[in-house]
Amino acid sequence: MAMLEVNNLKTHFKTQDGVVKSVDGVSFSLEAGETLGIVGESGSGKSVTALSIMQLNSKPPVEYPEGEILFEGQNLLETSEKRMQEIRGNDVAMIFQDPMTSLNPVFTVGNQISEAIRIHQKVSKHEAKEKTVQVLRDVGIANPEQRAREYPHQFSGGMRQRAMIAMGLSCNPKVLIADEPTTALDVTIQAQILELMIDLQEKYGTAIVMITHDLGVVAQLADKVMVMYAGRAVEQGPTDPVFYDPLMPYSWSLLRSLPRLDTAGEVRLLPIKGSPPSLIFLPDGCNFSPRCPFVKDECKNIDPSLEEKRPGHAAACILSADELEESKQRVDAELGVVEG
Amino acid sequence: MTEAGAATNGSPNGNLLEAKNLKMHFPIKAGILKRTVGHVKAVDGVDLSVRKGETLGLVGESGCGKSTLARMILRLLEPTDGEVNFEGRDVLKLDRKDMLKVRRDMQIVFQDPYASLNPRMTVGNIIAEPLKTHRIEGDKKKRVQELLEIVGLSPEHYNRYPHEFSGGQRQRIGVARAVALNPKLIICDEPVSALDVSIQAQVVNLLQDLQKEFDLTYVFIAHDLSVVKHISDRVAVMYLGKIVEVADRKTLYAEPRHPYTASLLSAIPIPDPEKERARQRVVLAGDVPSPSNPPSGCSFHTRCPRAREYCKENTPPLEKHEIKSGGPDTGEHRVSCFFPVMEGERIEKSASSSPYHAGG
C-alpha cells in the first residue's frame, strides 16, 4: 500500500461568478522515501492540491465533489476534523512558501515549534524544549538554544525557512508537503535548503511532495513528476522521461521557454503564446489548445484525458508519441534550431 | 565637461555610461534626536562601464545593492559619493533642466508590473506620460498606438486600465513606456522575476527584439543567472555593495574566477536530471552579512571556502585578470580576489573546510 494515494481528486470552489475547478481530477501515489515534484504556473492548482491533502481549504466555499485522498489507507476527505488534527502536523506536515507570514511574529520560534510537539506527543514542557533545540540543530541552525528563544524577525529569510522545516519535521512526519519552499529565497540559500531536505529524507525516509515552478529544482530532487495545467495533471511519469521525452506539448514548451544555465544565449527562447486560461471560462476541447504550438482542428473539440502513452508515463494529448515527435521536429526546423 | 562634449555620441572610449567609485551610504538614525548611529553601505565603491549597444547583466543576491546602483545611475537616488558619466558628462552635476533632458535618454523598466503602473490611469495615458513630461510634439495618441503595436499589444487597448491585463501584458506596457522617448539606455530592474515561467520568455524575446530594432543599450538586473546569461553580452557580479567579478558572458560562465561567482553558478539547478545528478555543488554556509556592518577585509571571507587569514585583513581590489595564453582575449575580465579560482580547479565544498564560516 502506498503511503499517500490521491485518486481523481476534485477540489471546486463555488463563487458568485461560477464554479472554479481549481483541481479537477488529479491522481498520484507516493511511497515512503519518494519525492514527487508537482510543477505548473500560478493558478494551475498546485497549492490547492497540497491544501486539499492537508484539509486546509476553507469550507465553504470549497467542495470535494469526487475523489479520495488515502493516507495509509484512510480517506482524509472523510475523516473528522478531530482525527484530522491528529494527523496534520504529526503524520502529514507542510512547509509553506513564505516563512515570514507563516510564523507567528509574537511568539518565539522555540515556542512555536514546541507547541507542535506538545500537541502531538505526550511529553513534558522540558522534553519538548529539548526536542525543539534538537530539531533546530538538525536543520543546521547554529547556537540553537539561543535561537529558540528568539522571535521570527530576528531570523534571516533562510533561517526562517529552516525554522519552518524544523517545525514541519519536529514530529517526524511520514509525508512532507513542501509548497514552493525556496521560491522566496536566494539561490545560495536555496541550495542550502534543498540539500537539507535531501539529507533529512535520507535520514528519516520521509515521502516528499515538492511543489514548485522551477523545473531545475524538480530535476534535482524528484523521482517522479506531475505537470499541472488549469487544474489538471497533463503529464505524469518518472523524472527522466518527462524531461527528456515530454509527451505533452505544454511540458515540452515549458522546457523550451526556459533560459538554461548550460545552454543560455545560444538559442532563442521559444515562448508559449498567450497566458493561462481563466478557471471559470475554460476553452473548448483541450485546455491548452489556444496556446499549443502543435494544435490541430480536433483539439478544439476533444478534451483529452490523461492516458498512458509509454509504460509509466502518461500525458493528456490526442497526439501519439510519434506524431508528437514529428511536430517537435517540425517546429524546431521552422525555428532553425539545430539539435545539440 | 562642456556642453559641446555632451552633444557627441558618447565618450571617446565607446562607453555610453561610466560609473566611478559610486557609493550609497544610507544613514541609520536612532533615538529621539534621530542621530545617525551608522550607515548601511548599500553600494560601496562601484566602478562600472557600459558600452554602447551592449547588454550588461548585473547579478547578485537580494540586498547586494543591484537596485540601488540602478537608481543612482538614473539619479533617482542621490549618491553619497562618486560620478556617473553618461555620454561623457557627469549626470550628478546637472541642474534640473539639464537633468530632464538627460532623462529622455535613460529609462527604466521596473520589476513589479502590478506596482509600477498607476491603476487609475488608462494604458494610453500611462504610455503618453513621458511624452507629455518631455513636451514631445505630434499626435500622442497615434504614437502610443504605435508603441502598443511595437510591444505586441493591440492598439485598441489604448483606453483600457492596467487591471484588465495579465502580468506579462502589464510588463509589455512598462516596456512601451520606457521606449516611448527613444532612449539610448534602458535599465531593466528584474523585469521578468515577477512573471510566470511561460511568460518570461515572451518578455525576454521582446526586449531582445527592441534592442536590435532601436539600437538600445541595456543594464539588465536579475537574480536569475540563467536569464542573465541568455540576454547579456557582459556580466557583473555584485556582493555586498561591491562588484566582485566582471567579464564577458562566455568567460564568466565558463571560467568564473571569484569563488562567489563559482558557488553562485553551482547553486543554480539545471532542468536536466542527468546533469543534476552528475553535478558537484558548492553549498555556501551562512547568510549574506549585514551591509550596515560588513566584514573586515574581503567582504566575502565569512562564507568563502577558500578564505585565509590574509583575506580577513586586506580588501582585494577589482583587478584585471590575466587571460591565459591560447584563448582569445574577449574583453576585460576583472576579479576582486586574492586567491581566485584557477582554470580546471574545483573549489572545495564549504561548511567544514572554511575556518571562518558564519553559523546559521
Side-chain angles (χ1 to χ4, degrees):
Chain A
M1 186 174 59
M3 176 75 73
L4 180 72
E5 203 178 320
V6 173
N7 291 323
N8 192 29
L9 173 70
K10 291 193 176 176
T11 310
H12 294 179
F13 293 88
K14 257 199 181 147
T15 69
Q16 284 190 334
D17 299 325
V19 177
V20 177
K21 297 175 180 175
S22 290
V23 178
D24 201 26
V26 163
S27 308
F28 61 85
S29 73
L30 197 61
E31 305 288 338
E34 231 182 359
T35 304
L36 167 76
I38 303 183
V39 282
E41 295 172 82
S42 24
S44 62
K46 311 183 297 285
S47 295
V48 175
T49 306
L51 293 172
S52 304
I53 298 169
M54 296 297 286
Q55 287 289 295
L56 284 175
N57 288 312
S58 51
K59 199 173 186 177
V62 79
E63 275 178 358
Y64 301 99
E66 263 181 76
E68 51 182 12
I69 299 169
L70 299 175
F71 169 70
E72 294 187 318
Q74 183 176 181
N75 189 356
L76 298 185
L77 291 178
E78 283 164 5
T79 34
S80 65
E81 179 55 27
K82 202 171 160 228
R83 172 81 187 109
M84 202 55 224
Q85 279 179 4
E86 288 167 17
I87 294 171
R88 201 185 286 138
N90 194 24
D91 294 320
V92 185
M94 183 159 170
I95 304 171
F96 296 91
Q97 172 174 0
D98 185 355
M100 196 63 224
T101 49
S102 29
L103 288 169
N104 191 334
V106 300
F107 291 105
T108 63
V109 171
N111 204 323
Q112 296 180 55
I113 296 174
S114 52
E115 183 193 357
I117 299 171
R118 298 245 307 155
I119 285 174
H120 294 297
Q121 293 169 10
K122 281 196 177 127
V123 289
S124 69
K125 251 188 184 162
H126 184 70
E127 284 167 317
K129 237 177 215 166
E130 272 175 8
K131 181 90 205 277
T132 303
V133 172
Q134 180 56 41
V135 287
L136 283 174
R137 190 173 288 126
D138 266 2
V139 297
I141 287 182
N143 205 355
E145 292 89 357
Q146 159 78 33
R147 287 295 187 177
R149 288 195 296 270
E150 290 183 356
Y151 290 89
H153 75 267
Q154 291 167 293
F155 280 44
S156 69
M159 280 171 60
R160 270 180 227 141
Q161 197 56 282
R162 280 164 192 268
M164 283 293 296
I165 294 178
M167 194 185 294
L169 293 170
S170 59
C171 298
N172 294 336
K174 292 169 181 159
V175 178
L176 182 68
I177 300 169
D179 187 3
E180 309 245 13
T182 58
T183 306
L185 305 174
D186 278 316
V187 276
T188 61
I189 310 295
Q190 166 172 294
Q192 292 173 5
I193 300 287
L194 295 180
E195 187 164 86
L196 171 71
M197 290 182 68
I198 294 170
D199 285 351
L200 293 171
Q201 182 174 41
E202 272 168 18
K203 204 163 149 192
Y204 299 114
T206 321
I208 296 180
V209 179
M210 184 77 182
I211 297 173
T212 176
H213 63 263
D214 189 336
L215 290 163
V217 172
V218 175
Q220 188 187 342
L221 287 184
D223 302 305
K224 46 192 190 179
V225 185
M226 176 162 90
V227 182
M228 287 189 77
Y229 188 78
R232 302 217 186 142
V234 293
E235 180 153 4
Q236 231 167 331
T239 307
D240 282 26
V242 172
F243 274 83
Y244 296 123
D245 187 18
L247 295 177
M248 165 73 194
Y250 176 64
S251 333
W252 181 80
S253 312
L254 213 51
L255 283 161
R256 294 299 301 273
S257 71
L258 282 180
R260 292 166 49 150
L261 200 59
D262 47 348
T263 56
E266 274 111 58
V267 284
R268 191 174 159 86
L269 300 179
L270 182 65
I272 306 177
K273 61 185 178 191
S275 38
S278 146
L279 292 173
I280 295 180
F281 306 105
L282 287 170
D284 290 334
C286 171
N287 287 337
F288 187 58
S289 62
R291 306 177 75 194
C292 183
F294 311 146
V295 68
K296 287 174 156 185
D297 290 340
E298 302 98 279
C299 297
K300 304 220 158 48
N301 306 319
I302 306 167
D303 190 2
S305 53
L306 194 68
E307 276 167 29
E308 201 166 69
K309 305 234 167 176
R310 298 232 165 97
H313 186 177
C317 184
I318 56 166
L319 296 178
S320 70
D322 292 336
E323 281 176 305
L324 201 67
E325 193 52 44
E326 230 170 78
S327 306
K328 286 181 199 170
Q329 279 170 11
R330 195 191 67 230
V331 172
D332 274 347
E334 276 168 18
L335 284 164
V337 175
V338 188
E339 275 298 313
Chain B
M1 199 58 62
T2 57
E3 277 294 310
T8 59
N9 278 336
S11 62
N13 50 10
N15 288 339
L16 181 69
L17 180 84
E18 271 177 8
K20 282 182 194 152
N21 194 28
L22 214 50
K23 284 183 187 166
M24 186 74 233
H25 294 179
F26 295 104
I28 305 168
K29 298 193 170 170
I32 30 170
L33 294 172
K34 298 275 176 233
R35 272 206 203 101
T36 303
V37 293
H39 285 95
V40 174
K41 295 174 179 168
V43 174
D44 199 20
V46 161
D47 291 292
L48 192 72
S49 59
V50 186
R51 294 175 200 145
K52 207 171 161 27
E54 77 168 350
T55 300
L56 176 77
L58 202 56
V59 293
E61 294 176 89
S62 42
C64 74
K66 309 180 293 275
S67 296
T68 307
L69 180 61
R71 291 189 156 88
M72 281 195 290
I73 291 171
L74 294 172
R75 215 179 161 190
L76 296 174
L77 276 173
E78 210 64 46
T80 316
D81 194 16
E83 254 179 61
V84 177
N85 290 323
F86 183 75
E87 300 195 304
R89 64 174 180 175
D90 192 348
V91 171
L92 302 175
K93 295 206 176 86
L94 299 178
D95 59 18
R96 248 183 78 92
K97 230 174 95 190
D98 286 334
M99 194 61 224
L100 191 69
K101 278 187 205 150
V102 173
R103 286 244 161 86
R104 279 180 69 158
D105 293 329
M106 316 161 95
Q107 292 289 323
I108 184 164
V109 177
F110 292 98
Q111 170 171 7
D112 186 348
Y114 291 81
S116 58
L117 302 178
N118 187 339
R120 296 198 267 187
M121 283 165 80
T122 62
V123 168
N125 281 331
I126 289 172
I127 301 175
E129 207 179 11
L131 303 172
K132 281 180 198 152
T133 310
H134 291 275
R135 305 220 170 88
I136 305 290
E137 301 292 315
D139 188 348
K140 285 194 191 69
K141 188 171 177 184
K142 211 177 134 201
R143 171 74 179 140
V144 170
Q145 289 180 332
E146 202 180 286
L147 285 162
L148 281 169
E149 247 179 337
I150 288 173
V151 297
L153 294 170
S154 154
E156 287 109 64
H157 291 154
Y158 185 84
N159 279 321
R160 295 207 191 162
Y161 286 89
H163 75 262
E164 296 174 68
F165 294 89
S166 67
Q169 287 174 316
R170 281 182 215 215
Q171 202 55 297
R172 285 173 193 269
I173 298 167
V175 172
R177 177 173 61 184
V179 296
L181 294 164
N182 286 323
K184 290 173 181 151
L185 174 74
I186 296 184
I187 295 189
C188 308
D189 189 0
E190 306 249 14
V192 296
S193 310
L195 305 177
D196 255 323
V197 271
S198 76
I199 312 295
Q200 282 191 5
Q202 296 176 2
V203 175
V204 167
N205 281 358
L206 171 69
L207 288 170
Q208 284 185 321
D209 292 342
L210 291 177
Q211 181 167 39
K212 255 185 237 151
E213 208 174 324
F214 300 109
D215 195 20
L216 294 167
T217 305
Y218 287 147
V219 174
F220 193 93
I221 301 174
H223 63 263
D224 183 338
L225 276 94
S226 323
V227 176
V228 167
K229 187 182 180 195
H230 183 80
I231 202 167
S232 307
D233 299 308
R234 284 194 310 137
V235 180
V237 182
M238 280 187 83
Y239 186 77
L240 221 58
K242 287 186 177 131
I243 289 179
V244 295
E245 183 161 9
V246 55
D248 69 282
R249 168 169 65 93
K250 277 215 173 100
T251 316
L252 188 103
Y253 282 83
E255 298 163 28
R257 293 288 183 239
H258 199 285
Y260 177 62
T261 316
S263 36
L264 206 55
L265 287 175
S266 88
I268 295 171
I270 298 175
D272 187 327
E274 257 170 42
K275 279 187 186 164
E276 272 300 322
R277 282 192 285 267
R279 272 176 106 195
Q280 288 270 335
R281 279 215 155 72
V282 190
V283 178
L284 290 177
D287 286 310
V288 184
S290 157
S292 61
N293 183 22
S296 63
C298 171
S299 49
F300 186 55
H301 85 256
T302 52
R303 300 175 80 195
C304 183
R306 298 161 69 87
R308 304 178 200 181
E309 204 57 42
Y310 187 71
C311 308
K312 256 176 142 172
E313 283 137 29
N314 302 283
T315 311
L318 186 65
E319 275 178 336
K320 187 164 178 178
H321 185 82
E322 291 298 318
I323 304 276
K324 283 266 163 63
S325 58
D329 189 344
T330 41
E332 268 192 334
H333 189 170
R334 288 170 173 271
V335 187
S336 80
C337 182
F338 294 121
F339 309 107
V341 186
M342 298 320 276
E343 219 173 299
E345 208 183 353
R346 264 241 166 89
I347 60 170
E348 280 157 53
K349 215 171 157 102
S350 178
S352 55
S353 63
S354 161
Y356 308 115
H357 88 88

